[in-house]
Amino acid sequence: MNILSIIGKKRDKKTLTKEEIDYFIKEYTKGTVTDYQAAALIMAIYINGMTNEEITNLTISMANSGETLDLSDISDSIVDKHSTGGVGDKITLILMPIIASMGIPVAKMSGRGLGFTGGTSDKLESIPGYNVNLSIEEFKENIKEIGISLITSSLNLAPADKKIYALRDTIACTANIPLIASSIMSKKIAAGANKILIDITCGKGAFMKDIKDAKELANMMIKIGRLAGREVRCVITNMDEPTGHAIGNSLEVIEAIRALKGEMTDDVKEIILALGVQMILMSGQTQDINEAQKMIVDSINSGRAYQKFKELVAKQGGDISYIEETDKFPKAKHIIPVFAEERGALKEVDTEMIGNISVYLGAGRTRKEDSIDHSAGIIMNQRIGNVVEVGHVLAYIHTNDESKIDGAVKNLKNAFILDPKRVAKPKTILGIVK
Ligand code: URA
């Protein structure tokens, strides 16, 4: 077998065999297939597509390209959750302690922010002392002891995906349904869960810009899951505007802590209920949607969800005095309001631009090796549908870098589109696919 014939086959719209896909993944992971050969094959896949069988074979092959985790000694029913990424997406920080507080084991590895989207690991690291780099033994030990662990994906899970994902980023092949489906599912399968809930974000601040593509991605991941013996469900959530009001690491942690105490925006509440219900149903604790909703509300109102978050932070070395007293989180030196200059209803928000401004202010990285300013970011003061008067605050910029204020204010103003007519509030949950 050789890589040239494999590239040629896909270029000519032919179907690759399992052996050919395995060969490509194995040799590319090792480095004997070069980046330019892999780029040619990925581009051919992007243009000519893959059959469901090819996508499943690609997924399994990437899942087996490194270590795989066996969590069967913890439970035979581990439910994992993954988001396709967005702006202000702090749902994992809120939902996972809620689920763990019900005795459902939570074993979650999260990524770091890259591009305009944030990452849960960076958010957790804004809590002084919190260690996201646990060994696999510590990770499993924590789940056994307190029912939850949230770490970063530092293990060698699905290394082929890591390489291919980085490559896709450099050859304009990121937003492609077969490639996204196999990328996400390979990591989830390698991470050991047998039940997987995917939050497919959809809209201006997400990879999936329209609902048709989001549904196609959902159906594809469900099919891959079925063929790989995993139950997959997808909730499609609106990412036409940031989730909640905070964007940036400690700002989002503070919003998450308030949410765990019951104070949350309507969109966050709807997403927590929709995702939480599906996770509880998948765990088998109940099959009754109303009861599952009640379990979530009880977990928050009783303080159990908040206590579980504190337990998690303490267990992973974090200073819980910051959780108890969120004023202790360092604040950015400059907190600058951005005012509306005309009257109107907020019709559109350029969410991807807002994510990029937040990165520019220091909340994210433009290169992998960049360090993060945990206190930087943006607080949104308006949601789509709100009527805004001249002089109303649209958002606040949080930064420690004075030189960035003018550019950020100018761009942030342009990210809000107002309309003289009334604008309806958008739906938050766009669909559930299972
Ligand atoms: N998230 C992933 O893990 N992979 C993709 O390709 C897109 C989003």
Side-chain angles (χ1 to χ4, degrees), residues 5 245 286:
S5 65
H245 59 249
T286 176

Side-chain angles (χ1 to χ4, degrees), residues 364-395:
R365 302 176 182 81
T366 44
R367 292 167 313 164
K368 269 207 198 100
E369 56 281 10
D370 287 350
S371 62
I372 288 225
D373 178 350
H374 286 122
S375 63
I378 295 168
I379 296 284
M380 300 285 288
N381 214 37
Q382 304 291 345
R383 297 198 65 78
I384 293 177
N386 284 7
V387 175
V388 178
E389 303 289 340
V390 175
H392 274 181
V393 175
L394 297 170

Side-chain angles (χ1 to χ4, degrees), residues 1-4 6-7 10 16-43 45 50 57-58 61-62 65 160-161 163-165 167-168 179:
M1 204 170 297
N2 79 72
I3 190 65
L4 293 188
I6 297 172
I7 298 169
K10 200 28 94 183
L16 301 179
T17 63
K18 179 178 180 316
E19 289 69 33
E20 285 164 333
I21 291 172
D22 283 347
Y23 174 85
F24 161 60
I25 292 299
K26 191 160 151 253
E27 299 303 321
Y28 184 48
T29 309
K30 269 203 313 208
T32 44
V33 164
T34 62
D35 275 342
Y36 52 82
Q37 289 168 325
L41 181 57
I42 295 295
M43 183 59 86
I45 291 172
M50 282 185 133
N57 286 335
L58 177 64
S61 197
M62 291 201 294
S65 63
D161 170 63
K163 272 188 98 170
I164 292 174
Y165 188 69
L167 183 72
R168 281 165 57 205
L179 294 173

Side-chain angles (χ1 to χ4, degrees), residues 280-297:
I280 296 167
L281 299 185
M282 287 172 100
S283 78
Q285 284 225 351
T286 176
Q287 290 310 320
D288 180 331
I289 292 177
N290 292 330
E291 192 185 338
Q293 279 194 356
K294 192 171 166 303
M295 286 163 73
I296 296 168
V297 174

Side-chain angles (χ1 to χ4, degrees), residues 138-405:
E138 291 167 318
F139 177 60
K140 286 171 90 170
E141 207 43 53
N142 286 6
I143 303 160
K144 284 182 193 156
E145 272 180 41
I146 64 163
I148 182 168
S149 187
L150 301 185
I151 63 170
T152 197
S153 354
S154 55
L155 298 169
N156 188 30
L157 296 181
D161 170 63
K162 241 175 237 157
K163 272 188 98 170
I164 292 174
Y165 188 69
L167 183 72
R168 281 165 57 205
D169 219 10
T170 62
I171 57 169
C173 286
T174 310
N176 175 262
I177 293 172
L179 294 173
I180 294 178
S182 53
S183 163
I184 292 176
M185 289 301 294
S186 66
K187 285 187 284 253
K188 294 289 108 181
I189 291 170
N194 48 4
K195 298 172 186 205
I196 302 159
L197 178 71
I198 318 259
D199 178 357
I200 301 186
T201 52
C202 175
K204 294 193 179 59
F207 286 118
M208 294 295 106
K209 303 287 183 208
D210 69 63
I211 185 75
K212 187 179 144 285
D213 285 351
K215 282 193 176 148
E216 195 181 326
L217 177 63
N219 284 319
M220 195 166 279
M221 289 196 283
I222 290 167
K223 252 186 232 148
I224 296 173
R226 203 169 293 139
L227 291 167
R230 308 294 205 278
E231 183 187 352
V232 177
R233 295 188 187 188
C234 300
V235 178
I236 304 173
T237 59
N238 190 342
M239 191 48 81
D240 266 338
E241 58 188 325
T243 305
H245 59 249
I247 304 143
N249 300 287
S250 64
L251 295 174
E252 290 188 44
V253 169
I254 294 169
E255 184 176 358
I257 293 166
R258 291 197 184 124
L260 284 164
K261 291 175 164 176
E263 184 192 323
M264 56 186 118
T265 54
D266 290 344
D267 64 321
V268 168
K269 188 169 177 184
E270 275 186 64
I271 297 171
I272 292 294
L273 284 173
L275 295 180
V277 163
Q278 293 306 321
M279 286 189 87
I280 296 167
L281 299 185
M282 287 172 100
S283 78
Q285 284 225 351
T286 176
Q287 290 310 320
D288 180 331
I289 292 177
N290 292 330
E291 192 185 338
Q293 279 194 356
K294 192 171 166 303
M295 286 163 73
I296 296 168
V297 174
D298 281 354
S299 160
I300 297 169
N301 290 349
S302 64
R304 284 195 299 275
Y306 171 65
Q307 286 307 331
K308 189 51 83 179
F309 185 66
K310 273 192 358 188
E311 218 178 323
L312 162 72
V313 170
K315 191 82 188 158
Q316 294 201 207
D319 182 345
I320 58 164
S321 70
Y322 284 74
I323 312 302
E324 288 164 344
E325 224 182 297
T326 52
D327 278 347
K328 281 185 81 171
F329 280 99
K331 286 188 190 47
K333 256 194 269 163
H334 308 282
I335 300 177
I336 312 289
V338 177
F339 297 107
E341 288 170 355
E342 54 182 313
R343 181 189 189 278
L346 183 56
K347 183 176 149 202
E348 249 178 62
V349 176
D350 188 339
T351 307
E352 186 167 334
M353 160 121 72
I354 289 181
N356 280 322
I357 297 170
S358 172
V359 171
Y360 173 72
L361 292 169
R365 302 176 182 81
T366 44
R367 292 167 313 164
K368 269 207 198 100
E369 56 281 10
D370 287 350
S371 62
I372 288 225
D373 178 350
H374 286 122
S375 63
I378 295 168
I379 296 284
M380 300 285 288
N381 214 37
Q382 304 291 345
R383 297 198 65 78
I384 293 177
N386 284 7
V387 175
V388 178
E389 303 289 340
V390 175
H392 274 181
V393 175
L394 297 170
Y396 292 90
I397 282 168
H398 289 234
T399 186
N400 287 305
D401 187 343
E402 199 175 351
S403 70
K404 296 199 163 158
I405 295 173

